[in-house]
Amino acid sequence: MSLPAFFEGPLLALETSCDETSAAVLRGRSILSNIVASQIEMHRKWGGVVPEAASRAHVEAILPAIEEALSAAGVGLSDIEAVAVTNRPGLVGALSVGVTAAKALTFVKGVPLLGVHHLEGHLCSPLSVADLPFPHVCLIVSGGHTELVEVSELGSYRVLGQTIDDAAGEAFDKGARLLGLGYPGGRAVQEAALSGRSDRYPLPKGLKGDTIDFSFSGLKTAVLRLVESEGERLSVADAAASLQETIVAVLTERALRAVERIGARALTLAGGVAANLALRERLATECSRRGIGFWTPPVELCTDNAAMIGLAGSYRLARGERDGFDLDATPNAPL
Ligand code: KG4
Ligand code: ZN
């Protein structure tokens, strides 16, 4: 299988499914601009994303993000030939802001509209760095998802394994909160881990045996016990390093097992947790040792962004897919 065609004309992509308001302009697979207005500072004071506040912040940020994306790409609104927007899954009020903006723009301009699945966006993000071979396995790790997906070709997906409870990003976020490292947790754990010993506190890896599923809820409980039992003696750096090492080891083991199970020769890594440098390095090393191709996008395309939505929307638009003005924001949707 080779790569399909991509939509040639300037394409505007929008992403508002959670706490980033993002707009991007693409031409084919080229990302001309990718503007991300993060709400992290606002949600930090509550220690997590507050859906109602997220929706309101998207309303304020969406038009400036679109204007900035157009201007950074050097194109005018009149040049845009299609709009792709995340319409599922996510916070319904947040998604609605992007979907409404996309409908208004496509109605006024008379150009095609297409709703994109957020996870397909993550899955397509490694296309920014390579002509991916097929079949390959994509490890999608974010705040809400941990999935190993067999990608036979773009648009043809089979979930091989997934978490039965918390997502990998949640394990980072909840662990960080227990360690007093604040929100969002992944980046904070990564930084604290730099000066820590990863073998200091052994933590549970969840499911045992020859599985490619995940369970991270026991890890959170184990970190809570560790914090309680160590009290003042706790080394936060060592705990962060141990937590990160446990998550990285589990993700690496299961991803390699999935690749082997379907006889693929390539692995991609996507989603917010793919920004984790220890995970990127471990997977790169282990894949290269086994002769497995490995690709992951630059860090700014791992966390939520509109460019990845543009990549997924682009090949679908090129093959003629379109949505009508009845396009809905859908909170839950399988890949
Ligand atoms: O994909 P994403 O931006 O949003 C969702 O779709 O969920 O992922 C957000 C998640 C959060 O849990 C955050 O803590 C995690 O990605 N994350 C990281 C890092 N940067 C972001 N986790 C580990 N290490 C990082 N450097
Ligand atoms: Zn995401």
Side-chain angles (χ1 to χ4, degrees), residues 220-244:
K220 170 187 62 192
T221 315
V223 173
L224 175 63
R225 296 259 155 74
L226 180 68
V227 170
E228 285 170 353
S229 65
E230 290 294 298
E232 294 282 286
R233 288 188 313 254
L234 182 78
S235 158
V236 172
D238 290 352
S242 303
L243 173 66
Q244 176 173 269

Side-chain angles (χ1 to χ4, degrees), residues 16 40 56 98 119 126 151 154 212 254 261 283 287 325 329:
T16 63
I40 282 177
R56 261 183 283 129
L119 287 190
V151 185
L154 288 185
I212 44 178
R254 311 273 150 93
R261 197 165 287 180
L283 282 172
C287 284
F325 293 121

Side-chain angles (χ1 to χ4, degrees), residues 9-32:
L11 163 69
L12 176 67
L14 305 177
E15 153 66 41
T16 63
S17 69
C18 188
D19 60 348
E20 328 277 1
T21 314
S22 182
V25 177
L26 289 82
R27 242 185 226 278
R29 270 167 68 198
S30 302
I31 299 165
L32 304 184

Side-chain angles (χ1 to χ4, degrees), residues 169 171-174 176 182-192 244 272-273 276:
F172 271 110
D173 293 338
K174 290 176 177 172
Y183 168 88
R187 190 69 195 273
V189 169
Q190 174 175 305
E191 272 158 28
Q244 176 173 269
V273 178
N276 186 269

Side-chain angles (χ1 to χ4, degrees), residues 134-274:
F134 300 95
H136 65 256
V137 172
C138 180
L139 170 61
I140 307 177
V141 269
S142 71
H145 295 269
T146 303
E147 297 188 19
L148 280 161
V149 182
E150 176 182 4
V151 185
S152 313
E153 59 181 312
L154 288 185
S156 177
Y157 311 125
R158 181 164 66 109
V159 177
L160 301 167
Q162 58 194 317
T163 182
I164 61 165
D165 42 51
D166 291 352
E170 267 179 287
F172 271 110
D173 293 338
K174 290 176 177 172
R177 190 178 308 165
L178 291 167
L179 295 175
L181 290 171
Y183 168 88
R187 190 69 195 273
V189 169
Q190 174 175 305
E191 272 158 28
L194 284 174
S195 58
R197 266 183 46 199
S198 63
D199 58 353
R200 171 85 180 273
Y201 302 119
L203 293 167
K205 293 200 170 136
L207 306 174
K208 299 212 176 352
D210 196 25
T211 180
I212 44 178
D213 287 324
F214 306 88
S215 168
F216 288 110
S217 65
L219 186 54
K220 170 187 62 192
T221 315
V223 173
L224 175 63
R225 296 259 155 74
L226 180 68
V227 170
E228 285 170 353
S229 65
E230 290 294 298
E232 294 282 286
R233 288 188 313 254
L234 182 78
S235 158
V236 172
D238 290 352
S242 303
L243 173 66
Q244 176 173 269
E245 170 57 29
T246 307
I247 298 171
V248 167
V250 172
L251 292 173
T252 303
E253 177 196 283
R254 311 273 150 93
L256 294 172
R257 191 174 285 154
V259 170
E260 193 183 319
R261 197 165 287 180
I262 65 156
R265 301 303 306 153
L267 175 72
T268 62
L269 170 67
V273 178

